């Protein structure tokens, strides 16, 4: 699914090819699923002959500001994208080959043609999961309308603070789910949230309510680092850093995936399939026991930070001492405490004289068998006194 930086890449192409131009010969497919709350006919009347003033985005939503209302608001869904006939490399996948070899691509939803030009822009979505809405309001009020009203802050426009994370990460919910929630932070999806947690060295299933000060700081810096780095390369996947998890994150059904340093990539089972590196992302140091107290991730953090000591559930500085051994002595029938001398426990650990009596474990007992579902044979059943019912068997003969 196109996420925050991919939508920002698309908005840059819309500004380059459509802003300041008049649309002509607009066509649209009559699809009541994609056109949410409107129709293709209303979309044609809203676009035909209008001039595009600007293109903006908020999270995964993008819209065109026209010279007069209504304005189209587009959500690309999982596989939707806006293609341009004069720019076959506008997609965010590898640039070694063009994204299409013929025009138009499959899955056409609408096509915008520029007046007195051969430039075209087309929204294609073969899976029909994109959504198009018309906002009949002034263009300054578009972010406060419809589904845009309930979105969280956009990391490209607003800095995510530690106080905001503390306010949202207060539930027993995995960190991967909290980051991908659009009400918390707009635009973060599957691969961006997994990359942020990998750079912060936090397991995707680690609950947000258990975060400490150092983990909140790492997540905040991870969001700023991943968003800025991906936006600087114009969200081109082929130019992302080689040490990123995204460079080696593929389908969860593909086995043997490893990151750059050879560490294996695993996928969670209890949450939505989330890629992570188990050797670098420890789920919980408390649940695993004190042996993992001083485990250091095999891969160092990309940004230097010091993790402050935990204030809750802190492990002891020294290993736990064993409790004193308590043994009942057969000689004086007294309970010994503290350190037991060898002479006191000679008679306790001495072998028993004579034959060992049988115990319940020595008696052979056949394992219980399941009752047969077939009808019981009444001729060979016992009666109430435990005797065989031989009379019925003789009568049948």
């Amino acid at each position: 699914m196109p996420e925050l930086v991919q939508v920002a890449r698309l908005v840059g192409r819309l500004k380059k090819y459509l802003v300041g131009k008049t649309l002509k010969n607009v066509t649209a497919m009559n699809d009541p699923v994609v056109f949410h709350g409107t129709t293709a006919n209303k979309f044609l009347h809203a676009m035909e002959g209008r001039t595009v003033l600007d293109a903006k985005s908020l999270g995964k939503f993008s819209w065109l500001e026209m010279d007069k209302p209504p304005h189209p608001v587009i959500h690309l869904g999982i596989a939707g994208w806006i293609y341009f006939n004069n720019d076959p490399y506008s997609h965010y996948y590898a640039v070694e080959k063009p994204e299409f070899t013929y025009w138009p691509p499959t899955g056409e939803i609408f096509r915008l043609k520029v007046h007195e030009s051969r430039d075209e822009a087309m929204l294609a979505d073969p899976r029909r999961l994109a959504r198009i809405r018309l906002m009949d309001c002034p263009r300054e009020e578009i972010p406060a309308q419809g589904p845009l009203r309930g979105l969280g802050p956009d990391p490209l426009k607003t800095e995510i603070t530690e106080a905001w994370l503390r306010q949202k990460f207060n539930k027993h919910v995995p960190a991967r789910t909290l980051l991908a929630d659009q009400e918390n932070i707009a635009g973060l999806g599957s691969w961006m949230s997994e990359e942020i947690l990998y750079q912060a060295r936090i397991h995707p299933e680690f609950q947000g309510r258990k975060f400490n000060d150092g983990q909140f700081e790492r997540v905040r810096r991870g969001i700023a680092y991943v968003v800025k780095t991906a936006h600087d390369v114009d969200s081109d996947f082929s130019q992302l850093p080689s040490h990123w998890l995204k460079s080696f994150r593929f389908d969860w059904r593909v086995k043997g995936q490893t990151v750059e340093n050879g560490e294996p990539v695993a996928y969670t089972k209890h949450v939505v399939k989330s890629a992570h590196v188990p050797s670098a992302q420890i789920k919980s140091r408390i649940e695993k026991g004190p042996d993992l107290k001083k485990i250091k991730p095999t891969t160092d953090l990309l940004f230097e930070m010091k993790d402050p000591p935990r204030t809750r559930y802190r492990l002891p500085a020294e290993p736990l001492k064993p409790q004193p051994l308590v043994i009942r002595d057969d000689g004086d029938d007294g309970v010994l405490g503290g350190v037991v001398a060898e002479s006191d426990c000679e008679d306790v650990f001495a072998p028993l004289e004579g034959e060992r009596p049988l115990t319940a474990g020595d008696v052979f007992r056949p394992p219980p068998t399941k009752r047969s579902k077939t009808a019981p044979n009444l001729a060979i059943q016992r009666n109430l006194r435990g005797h065989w019912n031989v009379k019925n068997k003789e009568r049948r003969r």
Side-chain angles (χ1 to χ4, degrees):
M1 174 185 289
E3 300 183 17
L4 175 67
V5 289
Q6 286 87 37
V7 176
R9 174 190 177 97
L10 178 60
V11 169
R13 300 302 191 279
L14 292 174
K15 291 182 178 180
K16 181 179 179 180
Y17 298 114
L18 294 184
V19 170
K21 299 180 181 179
T22 303
L23 303 181
K24 198 71 173 179
N25 298 330
V26 179
T27 59
M29 305 297 293
N30 188 13
D31 194 335
V33 177
V34 177
F35 290 95
H36 186 77
T38 184
T39 60
N41 191 20
K42 293 181 180 179
F43 179 81
L44 293 178
H45 286 286
M47 297 291 104
E48 184 66 27
R50 300 286 188 251
T51 303
V52 182
L53 300 182
D54 199 0
K56 295 183 180 180
S57 66
L58 179 61
K60 299 180 182 180
F61 287 87
S62 59
W63 65 88
L64 296 175
E65 294 184 354
M66 314 303 293
D67 54 354
K68 58 182 296 187
H71 311 278
V73 177
I74 304 171
H75 189 283
L76 299 175
I78 295 180
W81 190 254
I82 297 181
Y83 301 91
F84 304 91
N85 64 339
N86 56 352
D87 188 0
Y89 299 97
S90 63
H91 208 266
Y92 50 89
Y93 282 113
V95 297
E96 288 78 6
K97 57 182 180 179
E99 61 195 32
F100 58 86
T101 56
Y102 62 92
W103 184 265
T106 57
E108 177 181 352
I109 302 298
F110 67 75
R111 191 185 305 186
L112 307 177
K113 297 183 180 181
V114 179
H115 183 56
E116 297 181 353
S117 175
R118 294 184 179 181
D119 298 344
E120 295 182 12
M122 189 192 73
L123 172 62
D125 184 13
R127 302 182 65 176
R128 300 174 60 203
L129 295 175
R131 295 294 180 266
I132 303 173
R133 298 173 174 86
L134 291 178
M135 298 298 175
D136 193 1
C137 64
R139 55 181 183 174
E140 296 82 7
E141 300 179 2
I142 294 178
Q145 302 294 327
L148 303 177
R149 182 173 56 248
L151 296 178
D154 190 329
L156 282 176
K157 302 176 178 61
T158 307
E159 182 182 0
I160 305 299
T161 61
E162 185 177 344
W164 178 264
L165 294 176
R166 291 180 180 274
Q167 180 182 354
K168 296 300 180 181
F169 283 41
N170 60 350
K171 304 176 182 178
H172 289 289
V173 180
R176 159 71 170 78
T177 306
L178 292 173
L179 283 175
D181 190 352
Q182 300 303 300
E183 295 183 358
N184 297 338
I185 303 175
L188 299 185
S190 58
W191 80 265
M192 293 193 70
S193 58
E194 293 171 7
E195 189 64 47
I196 291 170
L197 293 176
Y198 174 65
Q199 301 300 331
R201 300 299 186 263
I202 298 176
H203 197 277
E205 293 182 348
F206 193 80
Q207 296 182 358
R209 196 166 183 176
K210 297 181 180 180
F211 273 34
N212 56 20
D213 298 338
Q215 290 170 331
F216 278 119
E217 180 65 16
R218 292 206 304 265
V219 170
R220 184 193 67 81
R221 292 199 178 188
I223 294 174
Y225 168 72
V226 172
V227 172
K228 183 180 183 302
T229 306
H231 187 61
D232 290 344
V233 298
D234 201 13
S235 185
D236 188 354
F237 286 175
S238 62
Q239 298 183 14
L240 293 179
S242 60
H243 56 263
W244 276 26
L245 179 63
K246 176 60 181 174
S247 303
F248 305 93
R249 171 187 173 271
F250 305 101
D251 193 351
W252 62 271
R253 291 166 290 189
V254 179
K255 297 182 180 180
Q257 304 177 41
T258 58
V259 292
E260 186 180 24
N261 57 2
E263 297 176 351
V265 178
Y267 290 83
T268 57
K269 299 180 180 180
H270 306 290
V271 196
V272 181
K273 295 292 183 180
S274 303
H276 67 285
V277 180
S279 58
Q281 298 171 264
I282 302 175
K283 182 177 179 180
S284 176
R285 299 180 180 180
I286 307 304
E287 296 177 3
K288 300 292 183 178
D291 54 337
L292 294 178
K293 179 180 62 173
K294 296 183 179 180
I295 278 188
K296 187 177 181 180
T298 55
T299 310
D300 296 333
L301 294 174
L302 298 178
F303 31 84
E304 299 180 357
M305 283 176 292
K306 293 183 179 180
D307 191 357
R310 297 179 63 97
T311 56
R312 295 186 305 166
Y313 312 110
R314 184 181 298 177
L315 293 173
E318 298 179 358
L320 298 178
K321 296 181 180 180
Q323 295 293 335
L325 182 63
V326 178
I327 299 178
R328 183 174 295 277
D329 192 352
D330 291 342
D332 52 1
D333 295 334
V335 177
L336 303 178
V339 181
V340 182
E342 295 181 359
S343 58
D344 295 335
C345 56
E346 287 181 355
D347 54 346
V348 177
F349 297 105
L352 297 176
E353 297 180 358
E355 296 182 358
R356 185 171 58 89
L358 295 178
T359 59
D362 298 328
V363 179
F364 174 76
R365 296 180 182 179
T369 58
K370 296 183 180 180
R371 292 185 178 181
S372 177
K373 296 183 180 179
T374 58
N377 189 359
L378 300 179
I380 59 175
Q381 295 296 320
R382 296 175 181 266
N383 55 19
L384 296 178
R385 295 184 179 182
H387 302 287
W388 291 103
N389 195 356
V390 185
K391 297 182 180 179
N392 295 338
K393 187 174 182 180
E394 294 177 354
R395 289 177 183 176
R396 291 185 179 183
R397 291 180 180 178

